[in-house]
Every structure is written in structure tokens, then in C-alpha cells.
Amino acid sequence: MGTGISKSYEVIVIGAGSMGMSAGYHLARRGVKTLLIDAFDPPHAHGSHHGEPRLIRHAYHGGETYIRLAQRADRLWRELEALAGEPLLVRSGVLNLAPEELVSFDERALDAARLGVVTELLDAAEIRKRWPGFAVPEHFRGLYEPDAGYLNSERCVAAYRKLALRAGATLLTNTFVKDVKVTGNAFSFVATKDDVYYADNVIVCAGAWFQTLKPFMHMPVRSVRKCVGWFETAGPEYRAGSFPGFTLGTGEGGYYGFPDIGGAGLKIGRHDGGVEWKPGEPFLPFGDDPEDEGDLRRALESFLPGASGRLIRGAACKYELSPDEHFIIDAHPAYPNVLLAGGFSGHGFKFASAVGEALADLTINRETELDLGMFSYWRFEETRSRIDFQI
């Protein structure tokens, strides 16, 4: 049974999560006839954007490309706030912590300073003085960015959805894309269970579901199950307004977290590790494995002991990891009118506003002002040696 909506568009966006919804908005506001298709009903709990909030930092470990991308994203988040009429970005400050023998923040601070990002390098004593909630050993160092903070991710996606639809985009929810085909390197067919849609251009932001679109595309990404938890805090030192967002590098793993916002508890998650997941397999809820809570609690007990109280709630989400954990933003290897955006590797949300704009630029003009060269599809041996994609 058909949907009753138009079958022909200038652009079809497959996957309307953070990147896809942003791209749909940036296309629609320029008058481009756009169809967004999502397997669920965004914002939702099946991708990488749920379980607010998400950190936004500008002094980034990936060098100047990421810093410039973060700066552009910040401007666009503020623009979205103004258009949506609600607060989306909170400048709590972000403190990056790690043992000095494991991580040096010096180069990151220099890169940031060259591009006008303010940071402070702090020793353990200064960190404990400013934020008594941290129990950091003497060999730890910190990089603090006062103008960084966090984004209310689900509200951001909802705001882009509202504005995209207001600008004329069409959104098809709870609809799985079964297949994509291109004829003559120019015209695309996107098939769902009930219909086929046509477009001059396609943007694929399928997240953890890229593997369902084989053999049309082979994205070198794997999906892993990740867990986050919100824990009761013992005192006001962890509350929003006085406590920063943070990243925590340790010999046992890397963690990130947020202050206690409105009594919801301090949120903490682990960036590395995780159990691989494939579409079609059961996705286990938080708590199925005792380590879902145990791993997070051990980090809190060691470094934020006053925030290691009762678990208030937990959530499981999906990371889609590229081999080097840098993004993939590039044209399909055979079809220049199909853009691929994936491998955001658990640190992409903060950039979604700028990535969506860049995808719109690349679709309309085949170029963008941002330097995206380091996100090439072809940088991996796996992609360079592939000859079995569908043509």
C-alpha cells in the first residue's frame, strides 16, 4: 500500500537522525525538494542521539580540521537556538583529564590558540581546588575549555525536524529502506517495503544500519553497543552551573560525563570498548550485563567518588565506528550523486549542524568551504582494494 506522498524529489536523505535531519533542514531552507526517510520516528532511542546531553568542545584532539568544524557547528547551533526559540547549548565548560604519561594536551592547546579557542592547562592541585568533586592523582593533568559545554541532543534533532518540515521537506517515518539503485550515474531509485522514490541526489546517513544497504555500498564501519548511566550525587559540587562536562582518560579506558542537571544525576559513559552489534540481532537493554553499571561505577569510585551513589537510570545506545574513528564524508565510490556520511564513532553529534550544512553544499554545489579531506572514503586499505560494490 503506498504512502500517498510524492514519488519524485531533488534529494532523498536516508536516515533522519542527527546528521540526516540537519542536512534535510539545510536543503529545505534553500528551496530544495527534499524527502527524509527514517526507520523510526526521530528523535528516537534507536540511534546515537538519544540520552541527552552531548559534549561540544572546540579544542579538539583531531587537529585544525576538527577545530574549524566545531567552530562552524557552534555558530550553527546558536542559529538553531534562535530559530527554535529554546535553549539547546549550555556553556558549562569542559575539562579534559588524563595522566601526563598517557596524554599530552600541549599540542591541542597550541592548535586551539592558533584558531582563537581559549583553553587552560591545569595541574592536579588546581583541578581539585576548582572542582572538589574530582579526586585526581598528582600525575593527572587537565585541559579546560571555558566556552565549551553540552548540547541537548534530542531537542536539537526535534528542532531541526520542525524547521525542515516548515521549510517544505517531507519526512517519512517508521520506514526501512530496502535498496538503492542508480541508473546512468544520474538518477536514483530508493525502495522501501511499499514504494519506490526517485531523486537526482541521495544522502545516506544510515548510522548503525549501513550494513543493511549492501551490496549498493560497503561502508567500513562496525556498530557496537555502548552504555551510559546517571548516578545520584552526594553534594552540590556536581550540580549543573558549577561542575563542568568532562572527558577522563585512564589506563583502564576512556570516559566522558556531564554535571547533575536538575537532579537527574551525573551522567557518565565509556568511549572505548563495547560489544559489536549487527542489524537484525537483539539489542540488549542496559543492565543485561552487570558490567553495564559496574564499569561506570568503578570509574566514579576512583575519580568522582561523591557521584557514585544510587544508579538513577541507565541507557544503551549504538556507536558506528570507522577503523580510525574519524568520520567518513564522501561521495559513493561509483556514483557522485550519492553522498555517504557515517563512521561518526561516538563523537560526531557536536558537529551535526555543520556536517548537515556541508552535505547540503556538496549536494547542491559539489563543494563546501569546509576542508573535509581527512574524511575521505578512500583513506582505508579496505575501501581502496574493494571492487565488489554494486554498479
Side-chain angles (χ1 to χ4, degrees), residues 358-376:
L359 291 170
D361 290 340
L362 290 167
T363 300
I364 297 168
N365 305 317
R366 297 293 187 256
E367 62 180 5
T368 178
E369 293 181 1
L370 292 169
D371 178 9
L372 303 180
M374 70 178 290
F375 305 134
S376 168

Side-chain angles (χ1 to χ4, degrees), residues 325-336:
E325 297 193 15
H326 294 302
F327 311 155
I328 301 169
I329 306 172
D330 207 345
H332 187 284
Y335 308 115

Side-chain angles (χ1 to χ4, degrees), residues 83-391:
L83 292 170
E86 63 174 320
L88 300 173
L89 193 165
V90 178
R91 298 200 188 279
S92 63
V94 173
L95 177 65
N96 304 279
L97 292 163
E100 57 184 341
E101 68 273 12
L102 186 66
V103 176
S104 172
F105 293 118
D106 294 344
E107 184 175 354
R108 195 187 307 185
L110 288 172
D111 286 342
R114 279 194 290 269
L115 293 175
V117 177
V118 176
T119 63
E120 296 179 69
L121 292 167
L122 305 174
D123 62 20
E126 182 64 23
I127 292 167
R128 292 192 297 264
K129 177 181 177 182
R130 292 196 193 185
W131 303 284
F134 285 112
V136 292
E138 288 301 320
H139 64 291
F140 270 61
R141 295 293 180 268
L143 176 74
Y144 179 60
E145 187 183 342
D147 294 326
Y150 53 86
L151 293 155
N152 294 301
S153 53
E154 293 173 32
R155 276 192 266 168
C156 289
V157 173
Y160 269 140
R161 173 177 173 159
K162 179 180 178 180
L163 292 170
L165 296 179
R166 182 185 296 170
T170 300
L171 173 62
L172 190 58
T173 61
N174 300 307
T175 304
F176 278 86
V177 169
K178 296 171 59 180
D179 194 15
V180 183
K181 296 185 186 302
V182 177
T183 61
N185 292 334
F187 204 68
S188 303
F189 300 77
V190 176
T192 67
K193 178 182 177 183
D194 298 315
D195 276 304
V196 177
Y197 301 91
Y198 310 94
D200 301 310
N201 299 277
V202 174
I203 301 173
V204 187
C205 304
W209 278 267
F210 265 105
Q211 304 308 319
T212 66
L213 295 175
K214 291 180 178 179
F216 178 76
M217 65 188 67
H218 288 272
M219 279 286 273
V221 297
R222 62 186 182 90
S223 302
V224 297
R225 174 183 176 271
K226 303 292 297 178
C227 290
V228 295
W230 287 257
F231 291 81
E232 191 172 50
T233 58
E237 63 268 27
Y238 296 104
R239 302 279 168 77
S242 58
F243 198 73
F246 63 89
T247 69
L248 173 64
T250 75
E252 291 72 44
Y255 299 83
Y256 60 91
F258 305 84
D260 182 340
I261 303 168
L266 182 140
K267 177 186 174 182
I268 185 171
R270 182 167 177 173
H271 178 70
D272 58 328
V275 177
E276 190 160 350
W277 173 84
K278 295 180 180 178
E281 296 179 347
F283 189 75
L284 301 176
F286 181 94
D288 186 81
D289 184 338
E291 280 298 285
D292 292 349
E293 177 182 347
D295 180 47
L296 303 178
R297 185 173 292 283
R298 283 191 295 273
L300 292 173
E301 290 171 346
S302 296
F303 299 99
L304 299 105
S308 61
R310 174 179 62 91
L311 174 70
I312 297 174
R313 73 182 181 99
C317 62
K318 302 175 184 75
Y319 272 23
E320 34 131 5
L321 300 171
S322 73
D324 60 7
E325 297 193 15
H326 294 302
F327 311 155
I328 301 169
I329 306 172
D330 207 345
H332 187 284
Y335 308 115
N337 65 324
V338 178
L339 289 178
L340 310 178
F344 290 101
S345 303
H347 64 113
F349 186 89
K350 65 182 71 64
F351 303 105
S353 57
V355 170
E357 179 187 55
L359 291 170
D361 290 340
L362 290 167
T363 300
I364 297 168
N365 305 317
R366 297 293 187 256
E367 62 180 5
T368 178
E369 293 181 1
L370 292 169
D371 178 9
L372 303 180
M374 70 178 290
F375 305 134
S376 168
Y377 176 88
W378 297 104
R379 71 183 185 270
F380 308 108
E381 175 61 29
E382 177 182 348
T383 51
R384 289 194 300 271
S385 63
R386 265 221 125 101
I387 60 171
D388 58 343
F389 52 78
Q390 178 180 314
I391 298 180

